[in-house]
Amino acid sequence: EILWKLLKLLNQGKDIALLSEVHSLFPKVTRILEEVFGLVTAVPPAVGGLIDFVTKEAKAFGPDLELELVRLVIDVLSPTKQGWAKITDYMNWMIMFEDVRPVIDGILTFASQELAQGKAGALDAKVAPDAKQEHTGGALATKLVAIQARWEKLLFVYTFLRDVSLPIRVEPVATLKTLAPILDSDKA
């Protein structure tokens, strides 16, 4: 279902009736498909949200779609949603973060390059006809900056856990209280 939805998005929402159409579109879909599976594999709690978004809500193919996937994963990884009760609870989150980091770094790098090369305007042609959202380069640039800022905050949290909370055994309540000013400003 994910593959079919991505193919249709790439085909500007038009029906795909021929195997030759699938064959011609598939190579262009593989990078995003790999990213989706990378995100799902690294952050299992995000599976439902990612699949629902791709299959039911996605309206555009390209960086806009990818940035929404990253936003969903960042939401799932939010430290305030982890329910940490003891110091050992940090580890599962840290493992997910380490596993997803190269995938998200790759997505953000690709989106930055697309915008820098001016390809974001060309993405308007890849928006499904029923899409109501604005998918301009300016809107994508704003979204990219906001998501990069949220990602950097999670990177800071990871580093804080690794270098401070775990070595000196800071309880989750104290860790979250210390990080609250950073986490509370996480509105993107």
Side-chain angles (χ1 to χ4, degrees):
E1 193 173 353
I2 292 172
L3 175 59
W4 190 250
K5 178 65 180 217
L6 290 174
L7 289 167
K8 284 191 77 169
L9 286 173
L10 180 61
N11 202 35
Q12 302 171 20
K14 299 174 196 159
D15 285 335
I16 300 170
L18 301 172
L19 184 58
S20 61
E21 291 175 302
V22 173
H23 184 72
S24 69
L25 294 172
F26 186 76
K28 298 172 187 169
V29 171
T30 55
R31 184 182 48 77
I32 291 181
L33 194 59
E34 287 174 5
E35 291 169 352
V36 170
F37 289 126
L39 294 170
V40 164
T41 302
V43 185
V47 170
L50 290 169
I51 291 173
D52 284 348
F53 179 78
V54 171
T55 58
K56 298 174 184 166
E57 298 175 38
K59 302 288 185 213
F61 185 86
D64 189 54
L65 169 65
E66 294 168 285
L67 291 176
E68 276 303 309
L69 297 175
V70 171
R71 185 193 58 76
L72 287 166
V73 170
I74 289 173
D75 288 347
V76 168
L77 287 175
S78 173
T80 58
K81 296 180 181 178
Q82 301 309 308
W84 294 327
K86 53 190 184 292
I87 294 169
T88 55
D89 292 342
Y90 298 141
M91 294 311 294
N92 285 337
W93 183 89
M94 292 177 73
I95 290 167
M96 284 190 294
F97 185 87
E98 289 170 357
D99 289 347
V100 81
R101 186 175 178 184
V103 178
I104 290 180
D105 285 345
I107 292 170
L108 295 176
T109 299
F110 180 77
S112 295
Q113 289 172 347
E114 289 285 302
L115 288 167
Q117 294 172 1
K119 293 181 182 177
L123 294 174
D124 292 337
K126 295 179 184 169
V127 176
D130 63 340
K132 303 291 185 221
Q133 299 175 1
E134 186 176 316
H135 298 281
T136 63
L140 284 173
T142 301
K143 182 185 280 190
L144 174 63
V145 168
I147 289 173
Q148 284 174 325
R150 291 184 68 200
W151 180 242
E152 288 296 319
K153 288 177 187 181
L154 277 185
L155 180 57
F156 179 81
V157 169
Y158 170 80
T159 304
F160 188 86
L161 292 175
R162 183 192 67 205
D163 296 347
V164 178
S165 294
L166 282 173
I168 62 173
R169 306 194 50 77
V170 178
E171 292 294 327
V173 172
T175 296
L176 291 173
K177 185 176 179 182
T178 302
L179 295 171
I182 293 168
L183 300 175
D184 290 343
S185 68
D186 192 16
K187 309 290 184 232

